[in-house]
Amino acid sequence: MKNSANARYKLSKLENSTNTSILCVFAVQLVLALIGGFLGSEWMIKERDNVFYLGSLGSDSKFVLLIQFTGTWILIMTNFVPISLMVTLELVKFWQGMFMGTDYQLYDPDQDMEMRAQSSNLNEELGQVEYVFSDKTGTLTCNIMEFKKFSAGSGNYGTGQKPEEKQESNVCFHDPAMFECLNDPKADKHEELKRTMVFLAACHTIIIDERKGTYNAASPDELALVNAAKQFGYEFKGFDAQDRMIIHNKVDNETIRFELLNVCEFSSSRKRMSVILRDEQGQIRLMCKGADSVIKDRLSSDSVNSSVFESTQ
């Protein structure tokens, strides 16, 4: 909290130019008022006896007369500062924001969301952008992660084609042969696929929004992995009263529970995240996911030189 700073108030070029012009006008007004005040006080001191009809000035001090006449001239020249201009600009920008919100070309049909002008300070800047600086993926791209293919054991799954059936969010997977193998307990690669699905449903830091019934994930790739497991029939259901992780296996109609012992969260230096779990048989498991270069360095020589590793490269 000590390092956090207040949001900087942004001003457009038009507002900066307007503010500068108003300050210049006010400075000119003040100079003219001072000149008028000085000349007025000098004239009043000399012509005091001849202008008795103006009444008593209340003081014979030249400095007091200077202040009085300067204030009078400031009031006389009040219209020099265009206060109404600021009000007019704010009204124009407000209606510009309203028009942008009703512009169909700015409507996003995928998210069913129209353009929203949260602030009308920078409306006129939108058409004057010359340079765009991006520091990470997602600033210029859609920042959407879709689950399309994966490897389990020695098998590669996913045709890359667009599926016809309904998919979970962040999932675009099509491979009928994989589903047949996953749903058949007697298939050769059934256990490999089952272990992979349990891993996808368990190795994460996702929190379930109880009110909406949706997943809240720290990153879109983590959301894609957990939703993929849900799509394949292994749904993460949260934690029970004993704080055990619950995974519902719709394929075998069973509930898998893990006791979460520890979470090693992802960081830019580690480039991986891990969870330590205890299953219902009391066996402790370490599940880890991350960048392939980091995971490869931590594999045994037998695993790296195996045919399974080569087939999934």
Side-chain angles (χ1 to χ4, degrees):
M1 295 299 293
K2 292 183 179 180
N3 293 330
S4 61
N6 295 328
R8 181 171 60 90
Y9 185 75
K10 297 180 180 179
L11 294 176
S12 64
K13 293 180 180 179
L14 178 60
E15 285 182 312
N16 286 325
S17 176
T18 303
N19 292 339
T20 302
S21 300
I22 290 177
L23 289 176
C24 292
V25 170
F26 181 74
V28 172
Q29 177 188 0
L30 185 60
V31 171
L32 293 177
L34 287 172
I35 294 174
F38 176 77
L39 296 177
S41 60
E42 290 289 336
W43 178 82
M44 182 57 68
I45 291 175
K46 292 180 181 180
E47 302 293 335
R48 179 185 297 274
D49 297 334
N50 298 328
V51 290
F52 59 89
Y53 50 84
L54 294 179
S56 175
L57 297 176
S59 176
D60 296 332
S61 172
K62 186 176 181 179
F63 178 75
V64 174
L65 291 175
L66 175 64
I67 298 299
Q68 290 178 347
F69 276 97
T70 301
T72 301
W73 280 108
I74 289 177
L75 292 176
I76 292 173
M77 295 184 291
T78 300
N79 291 332
F80 273 34
V81 180
I83 301 299
S84 60
L85 175 62
M86 304 299 295
V87 179
T88 303
L89 286 176
E90 290 299 324
L91 288 176
V92 169
K93 290 182 178 181
F94 172 76
W95 285 109
Q96 282 179 343
M98 297 292 291
F99 283 128
M100 287 189 289
T102 57
D103 191 346
Y104 182 75
Q105 293 182 345
L106 299 176
Y107 173 75
D108 184 4
D110 295 333
Q111 301 184 25
D112 189 22
M113 181 181 298
E114 67 278 358
M115 186 270 185
R116 296 177 184 175
Q118 302 290 353
S119 174
S120 60
N121 292 338
L122 305 175
N123 290 352
E124 64 275 9
E125 299 289 307
L126 295 177
Q128 303 178 29
V129 177
E130 296 181 2
Y131 305 99
V132 176
F133 297 93
S134 173
D135 62 341
K136 63 183 180 65
T137 302
T139 304
L140 298 179
T141 60
C142 294
N143 197 24
I144 297 176
M145 183 71 68
E146 290 187 341
F147 189 97
K148 293 185 176 182
K149 297 182 179 182
F150 72 97
S151 299
S154 58
N156 297 320
Y157 304 95
T159 62
Q161 301 176 3
K162 187 175 181 180
E164 297 180 358
E165 62 274 8
K166 183 180 179 181
Q167 303 278 301
E168 297 289 338
S169 62
N170 298 81
V171 180
C172 185
F173 184 85
H174 177 267
D175 192 343
M178 191 281 298
F179 284 100
E180 292 180 2
C181 184
L182 181 63
N183 296 329
D184 184 6
K186 298 181 180 180
D188 295 337
K189 298 182 179 181
H190 174 77
E191 290 300 324
E192 294 179 354
L193 289 172
K194 182 176 180 179
R195 285 197 302 269
T196 302
M197 299 306 139
V198 173
F199 170 83
L200 294 178
C203 186
H204 57 79
T205 57
I206 280 180
I207 300 175
I208 298 179
D209 189 336
E210 299 294 343
R211 185 170 59 88
K212 298 181 180 180
T214 57
Y215 293 144
N216 291 332
S219 60
D221 54 343
E222 190 169 62
L223 181 62
L225 296 177
V226 178
N227 275 335
K230 182 179 179 180
Q231 176 77 24
F232 301 147
Y234 290 76
E235 182 179 359
F236 170 63
K237 304 289 288 186
F239 294 85
D240 60 11
Q242 287 76 34
D243 203 24
R244 293 180 299 178
M245 181 183 294
I246 302 175
I247 299 173
H248 180 58
N249 179 5
K250 296 181 181 179
V251 177
D252 299 327
N253 194 21
E254 63 176 351
T255 300
I256 305 172
R257 289 180 171 85
F258 290 106
E259 180 184 355
L260 181 61
L261 301 179
N262 196 9
V263 177
C264 301
E265 296 186 359
F266 178 88
S267 66
S268 57
S269 58
R270 297 181 68 247
K271 297 182 181 179
R272 63 189 185 279
M273 71 87 59
S274 309
V275 293
I276 302 176
L277 306 170
R278 179 184 285 116
D279 60 19
E280 295 175 295
Q281 289 73 36
Q283 183 180 3
I284 296 179
R285 300 185 182 184
L286 170 64
M287 298 183 181
C288 181
K289 65 180 180 182
D292 52 355
S293 58
V294 175
I295 300 298
K296 179 181 178 181
D297 294 339
R298 283 154 181 81
L299 296 177
S300 64
S301 57
D302 294 337
S303 298
V304 174
N305 297 325
S306 65
S307 59
V308 174
F309 185 84
E310 294 179 358
S311 62
T312 55
Q313 290 298 301

